[in-house]
Amino acid sequence: MNTYKRRQTLAAGVVGAVLTGAAVLPSPALAEPGDDARVRVTVDIDEIREPGVLALSIAGDAVALSEDGSTLLVRQFVGTLPTVTVTDTRVADEVPAGANWAVLGSATDFAGATGQAPITADHFGWKPRLLDGGETGLVTEGEEVVTSLDEATQPGNNVGLVDQELLVSAFDSEAVASDSYSVNADLYLRTPAEVAAGAYSSTLTLSLFE
């Protein structure tokens, strides 16, 4: 074999060896025109939760007292405070640490509608009555507040509703959160027998504090 043919043969062998040992790569998948490609997108959306509140509501805005239980010396007029509800929609972690709440009440003097002398608020008393205090035992009604015409049933409680007097309270706000509680009270106005006849009115203000 001449030198030129021998070189051709060797070159062919080398090329054959290279082709024989080369890796064969897979062809990439190609999207054809008109094909769709889809991606599933998901999201979890939490329900919006408004911050809870501590609120007071009263089932009525007026009480008419009527005479009952009068004596020769003292005239008495009685009625019932509309149900007072304290609602706490807060969860425990929204309540300030160490907090407690209370509803306090005070009354103005009873003004005469036709100019008669007023009946001062120390003649007006109440006896709170817890209607629904929940199951914790931490919600309690206030003590009875009697009038200035009565003998004190305990020291300093014959002052009437002149100043802020306790209607209901919770010892631990966090422990009683996420619930509602209700209370009312027996109301009584006691006056001297010689009180002037006529219509009188007073405003009883209830305030919720924490």
Side-chain angles (χ1 to χ4, degrees), residues 67 71-75 77 116-117 119 123 149 190-198 200:
E67 189 164 8
T71 68
L72 293 176
L73 298 177
V74 177
R75 297 185 70 175
F77 307 86
Q116 64 269 44
I119 302 170
H123 291 83
L149 296 184
R190 292 173 181 154
T191 72
E194 64 272 17
V195 64
Y200 294 82

Side-chain angles (χ1 to χ4, degrees), residues 12 24 35 37 57 61 68 71 76 80 83 92 103 111 126 129 167:
V24 179
D35 286 352
S57 61
D61 60 3
D68 183 34
T71 68
Q76 176 172 268
T80 302
T83 298
V103 177
W126 70 9
R129 181 171 51 247
L167 177 67

